Amino acid sequence: MEHPTYRLGCDIGGTFTDFVLVNNITGEFHTNKCLTTPSDPSDAIEQGIRELAQILPGFMDNVEEIIHGTTLVINAIIERKGARTGLITTKGFRDVLELGREKRYDAYDIFSEYPEPIVPRSDRAEIDERLTFDGRILKDVDEKEVVHILEKFKKDGIQSIAVCFINSYENSVNEKKIKKIIEKHAPELFLSTSFEVLPEIKEYERTCTTAVNAYVKPITFWYLNKLVKRLGTIGFNGKFFIMLSSGGITSIETAKNFPVRIIESGPTAAVIASQHYGQMFNIKDMFCFDMGGTTAKSCLIQDGHAGLVSTFEVGRVQRFQKGSGLPIQVPVVDLMEIGAGGGSIAKISSLGLLQVGPESAGADPGPACYKQGGDNPTVTDADLILGYLDPDFFLGGTMNLDIELSKKAIEEKIAKPLGTTMVKAAFGIHDLINETMASAAKTHIAEKGGNPNIVTVSAFGGAGPVHTYGLAKKIGASAILVPPLAGVGSALGFFTAPVAFDLSRSHRKVLDEADFKEVEHLFNELEHESAKILEGAQSGDEIIFERTLLMRFVGQGAEIDLNVNNKDFQKFSKDEIRSMFDEEYKRLYGRTSAESPVEFVTFKVRASLPKKPFTISKLSNQNRDIQTCIKGQRPAFSVIKKNYLPFTVYDRSKLFANAEFEGPAIIEERESTIVIGEDAKARVDEFGFIWIQLAQSGGPDKPGGDK
């Protein structure tokens, strides 16, 4: 018999750390969940692995690879717990981090706040160097000037340095010179240069992204080194990968050098899993909904692909106000994040109204029912009172919940101040968080040109399957898909992601004046650099390259993406490229301006290795009696009747292929709970996916339904 080998996915969330272990030979899965340990996330990782080892003793010796997603980087930025960072920039550009784009995110709020720059002004320095807009050297780097700055930085306790010179995206020569000087005179300091982190146009975004990379580089380096050593002590000697915000995975060395690329490490994985399932069942429009303990994330997947954006924001002063955060210009899956999770705290606002989130009780102390000292009412407390959760079967019965503590918290802090009953207050919390998520979801879908009435909502996360029914009803969705192991969907999604890395370089050139031989040379350089980054990740695999052009009308401030095939760029004609641009521009904006000149701005390459996706086995359970799948009944709150009804409770592990039943129903598994209202029906397919048809519309009721 062949010796089993494994892959392990590990996702650290704000409340829970999830694990999925897959047997590479049999395809068998083992899962685990444990509370996240915010003070040291590696504590939860070791605890979770040791708990898995009680089921499969010695399995770590046979783990070929671990794929990890973490909130470490984004938390460090939001909580401002990164390293003290110094910025070296061109003379005259010291204040670019504060000047930004000189735009107000709220034109009518004269008191609007902005995030504090990641590097305070006292830790920024200028040197008298200069390049022209096309990369010609006007002033060289003076080593003595740099050494003087380094001495001051070291005296001030600077741990990490960011270097960003004006126009260095066109010519990196001066940044390369200062890099050598810093490595010679201050090798102990961490260093991030913009030509390595982000050689793209837009000075503010480039400087901010480079500074953020430098800010989180030391803590990422220390954390990953500690984690690798810790894993080694419990038997791991395979390859270690980190999930990227762009939907690929990368080596630990790349993550150490470019931690800004893993800001959205965990949330991305559920989207990649949902994309995989959409392609598997040929679903045209899939809406991925991932609700955990701290936040809810969603993404519209169209024609089998999740969109990528090149800029996003973190640490917003106003959570939902675009422009109120720090801009990060790296490839990231086009996610929408909402401050809504199982741990979201309910309170009475200054206006005397019910408010839920965005503050979260997190893992410590957690919701009131966790019995860890928390006394604030949360969404989980409301769900428990409403009967959606079984207090004796949370995490498969390994963590008991105290419903009396939930009742006390909601009664004292919500029901009494509002002058209502405890049950109505609990439903108000549940319904309000659904309404908040639905409003954001409808906006997100509309912005992408989608139709919420025809999407299939895929549910992920510990709280996602509990709330997806209510969310789907509010947005008018026709069907819900709950995949196997949905409660640990992000950790499972790691296995569907390829080893990949994205590189880009800005080089402005009007199309009519462009030399396509020069463009081909630039693409070749990017492919060579990205291939070097992937070296050693998986030996013997052929690298797949994808090329993208960012173009715009001359004088515009925003670009559009054009995917081009990998043929020699010199074989394209200028008319072909112009036609591609006009066609895409018209698709996005309804019209184009054929007489206006266009220009190349940025060139991008994604290098990836072939995917190694897991295989989902068909259900072996041939049981044909649905009655044997029933655990019992319990009263749960109906969103239609606004009262408790008897919900039939099913054991998901006993459900068989083609099993069908109607709501009201609750389906329980170790990682999550699925709630189905009385106006819906469910069917189980041969792979164990649960397809829920909502009566309000005639959408798909089977895999690949209405395409």
Side-chain angles (χ1 to χ4, degrees):
M1 182 178 176
E2 192 175 354
H3 205 282
T5 59
Y6 301 95
R7 284 189 289 166
L8 177 65
C10 172
D11 176 41
I12 298 179
T15 305
F16 287 99
T17 297
D18 299 343
F19 303 84
V20 174
L21 181 70
V22 59
N23 186 316
N24 291 328
I25 298 172
T26 65
E28 182 183 12
F29 291 104
H30 294 278
T31 65
N32 192 26
K33 263 182 181 284
C34 63
L35 286 170
T36 294
T37 48
S39 59
D40 185 352
S42 64
D43 286 343
I45 293 177
E46 181 170 348
Q47 176 190 337
I49 289 174
R50 291 194 181 280
E51 288 172 357
L52 279 172
Q54 294 175 10
I55 304 170
L56 290 172
F59 81 91
M60 281 298 287
D61 295 334
N62 300 307
V63 173
E64 291 184 335
E65 61 187 43
I66 292 178
I67 308 172
H68 180 36
T70 176
T71 56
L72 175 80
V73 174
I74 194 168
N75 288 345
I77 299 168
I78 292 171
E79 298 169 10
R80 295 302 173 101
K81 292 182 179 179
R84 186 170 179 182
T85 301
L87 171 66
I88 301 177
T89 189
T90 305
K91 186 177 180 180
F93 290 85
R94 181 182 183 185
D95 295 317
V96 69
L97 290 179
E98 280 160 320
L99 293 172
R101 286 284 170 197
E102 296 187 318
K103 288 170 62 178
R104 301 177 68 86
Y105 62 84
D106 189 339
Y108 303 104
D109 183 1
I110 61 173
F111 301 107
S112 56
E113 299 178 27
Y114 293 83
E116 286 293 321
I118 208 78
V119 181
R121 195 173 195 273
S122 59
D123 291 339
R124 302 178 219 146
E126 301 175 336
I127 68 168
D128 194 14
E129 69 81 43
R130 192 61 189 251
L131 299 174
T132 62
F133 76 96
D134 58 356
R136 289 178 290 110
I137 300 175
L138 288 182
K139 285 190 177 180
D140 208 341
V141 174
D142 183 347
E143 184 169 347
K144 291 181 180 178
E145 190 179 13
V146 177
V147 171
H148 176 72
I149 291 170
L150 292 176
E151 289 174 353
K152 180 182 182 302
F153 276 178
K154 286 191 279 188
K155 184 179 178 181
D156 291 344
I158 296 295
Q159 297 172 294
S160 188
I161 296 175
V163 176
C164 189
F165 293 155
I166 187 75
N167 296 325
S168 64
Y169 61 86
E170 280 285 3
N171 187 350
S172 60
V173 60
N174 279 359
E175 286 196 8
K176 287 179 177 176
K177 286 180 181 177
I178 197 173
K179 180 180 179 180
K180 289 182 179 179
I181 295 169
I182 294 172
E183 289 174 342
K184 175 183 175 183
H185 294 278
E188 72 278 14
L189 298 181
F190 290 87
L191 176 62
S192 297
T193 58
S194 77
F195 82 87
E196 292 174 302
V197 175
L198 185 69
E200 288 188 26
I201 198 169
K202 296 183 180 177
E203 203 62 29
Y204 172 49
E205 286 82 354
R206 184 160 58 91
T207 306
C208 190
T209 303
T210 306
V212 167
N213 195 79
Y215 182 70
V216 296
K217 197 170 185 177
I219 63 167
T220 306
F221 179 87
W222 295 325
Y223 166 71
L224 291 177
N225 276 356
K226 178 180 180 180
L227 181 56
V228 169
K229 289 179 181 177
R230 200 160 181 174
L231 290 171
T233 63
I234 53 178
F236 177 63
N237 56 10
K239 292 183 177 180
F240 192 31
F241 295 104
I242 304 292
M243 188 76 188
L244 292 165
S245 303
S246 60
I249 57 175
T250 192
S251 68
I252 189 170
E253 291 304 320
T254 302
K256 288 178 187 176
N257 289 326
F258 305 105
V260 74
R261 299 286 191 116
I262 63 172
I263 286 179
E264 292 286 3
S265 176
T268 298
V271 175
I272 302 305
S274 189
Q275 176 180 274
H276 177 75
Y277 298 143
Q279 294 169 353
M280 177 177 171
F281 293 116
N282 194 25
I283 300 173
K284 183 180 179 182
D285 293 306
M286 177 88 84
F287 185 69
C288 173
F289 173 61
D290 177 18
M291 184 177 179
T294 307
T295 58
K297 287 78 61 179
S298 61
C299 177
L300 180 63
I301 300 166
Q302 296 173 295
D303 295 322
H305 296 283
L308 283 178
V309 293
S310 57
T311 303
F312 66 108
E313 294 180 6
V314 296
R316 284 178 173 171
V317 176
Q318 299 293 331
R319 188 171 188 124
F320 304 113
Q321 281 278 13
K322 186 177 180 181
S324 68
L326 299 172
I328 306 296
Q329 195 160 315
V330 296
V332 61
V333 170
D334 193 4
L335 283 166
M336 176 192 65
E337 185 170 314
I338 313 162
S344 292
I345 296 172
K347 62 182 179 181
I348 305 302
S349 72
S350 58
L351 298 176
L353 303 174
L354 176 63
Q355 177 182 328
V356 185
E359 295 85 11
S360 173
D364 185 11
C369 58
Y370 280 13
K371 300 180 289 187
Q372 295 187 151
D375 59 0
N376 287 315
T378 67
V379 173
T380 297
D381 293 304
D383 291 343
L384 182 60
I385 289 170
L386 296 173
Y388 302 142
L389 303 177
D390 183 345
D392 298 321
F393 194 71
F394 196 70
L395 295 187
T398 60
M399 180 179 176
N400 293 330
L401 304 181
D402 191 330
I403 193 170
E404 295 304 320
L405 292 177
S406 295
K407 290 178 179 179
K408 179 181 178 182
I410 291 179
E411 177 71 35
E412 293 181 355
K413 297 197 174 184
I414 304 297
K416 285 182 179 178
L418 291 178
T420 189
T421 66
M422 184 265 297
V423 172
K424 287 183 178 179
F427 178 68
I429 294 169
H430 176 90
D431 195 53
L432 180 57
I433 205 70
N434 284 353
E435 187 63 48
T436 301
M437 295 186 295
S439 298
K442 284 188 281 190
T443 301
H444 178 73
I445 293 171
E447 286 176 346
K448 304 304 171 187
N451 181 352
N453 300 131
I454 64 171
V455 301
T456 297
V457 183
S458 56
F460 292 89
V466 178
H467 288 261
T468 301
Y469 166 77
L471 173 77
K473 284 186 70 67
K474 287 182 180 293
I475 69 173
S478 56
I480 298 169
L481 170 63
V482 187
L485 309 180
V488 288
S490 288
L492 186 64
F494 294 150
F495 303 137
T496 67
V499 176
F501 200 76
D502 298 85
L503 283 179
S504 59
R505 189 169 302 157
S506 289
H507 178 60
R508 288 177 57 193
K509 209 71 176 177
V510 176
L511 174 61
D512 292 338
E513 301 169 3
D515 179 352
F516 280 19
K517 183 178 180 181
E518 181 185 23
V519 172
E520 177 63 22
H521 178 68
L522 197 156
F523 272 131
N524 286 335
E525 283 187 338
L526 290 172
E527 288 173 354
H528 178 70
E529 290 176 33
S530 56
K532 285 182 66 178
I533 291 173
L534 297 189
E535 274 181 9
Q538 285 174 204
S539 57
D541 286 321
E542 182 181 352
I543 297 176
I544 304 162
F545 295 107
E546 299 172 51
R547 296 177 172 185
T548 303
L549 295 171
L550 269 65
M551 298 181 66
R552 66 187 182 189
F553 286 113
V554 174
Q556 266 192 324
E559 302 83 40
I560 65 170
D561 291 12
L562 291 179
N563 295 319
V564 292
N565 56 38
N566 289 323
K567 72 178 184 181
D568 188 332
F569 202 80
Q570 298 172 84
K571 295 181 180 179
F572 281 105
S573 70
K574 291 181 179 179
D575 287 342
E576 279 183 277
I577 298 298
R578 179 59 201 246
S579 178
M580 290 168 61
F581 174 86
D582 285 333
E583 186 178 331
E584 179 64 9
Y585 198 92
K586 191 172 182 179
R587 185 189 73 83
L588 291 171
Y589 304 111
R591 62 188 177 89
T592 187
S593 179
E595 67 280 359
S596 300
V598 298
E599 64 180 350
F600 296 129
V601 179
T602 301
F603 302 84
K604 292 187 174 183
V605 164
R606 161 169 276 212
S608 60
L609 299 177
K611 296 179 183 179
K612 299 198 310 184
F614 57 86
T615 300
I616 299 178
S617 302
K618 293 184 178 181
L619 292 180
S620 58
N621 188 349
Q622 298 301 315
N623 181 10
R624 296 294 171 183
D625 185 0
I626 195 66
Q627 295 300 315
T628 62
C629 306
I630 296 175
K631 297 176 69 174
Q633 281 190 340
R634 70 168 176 264
F637 202 85
S638 164
V639 301
I640 298 174
K641 301 291 186 182
K642 302 295 187 293
N643 205 345
Y644 286 91
L645 294 178
F647 277 59
T648 304
V649 182
Y650 294 88
D651 183 341
R652 184 167 187 174
S653 66
K654 294 182 179 179
L655 291 175
F656 51 90
N658 298 316
E660 295 185 2
F661 51 93
E662 296 183 350
I666 291 173
I667 305 172
E668 292 183 339
E669 57 184 324
R670 187 184 186 279
E671 300 82 17
S672 188
T673 299
I674 305 168
V675 176
I676 304 171
E678 63 267 33
D679 62 339
K681 59 182 180 180
R683 189 181 68 81
V684 184
D685 71 12
E686 60 183 343
F687 296 103
F689 289 78
I690 297 176
W691 300 81
I692 302 170
Q693 168 76 33
L694 277 70
Q696 62 197 41
S697 57
D701 62 353
K702 60 182 184 301
D706 181 14
K707 303 182 185 68

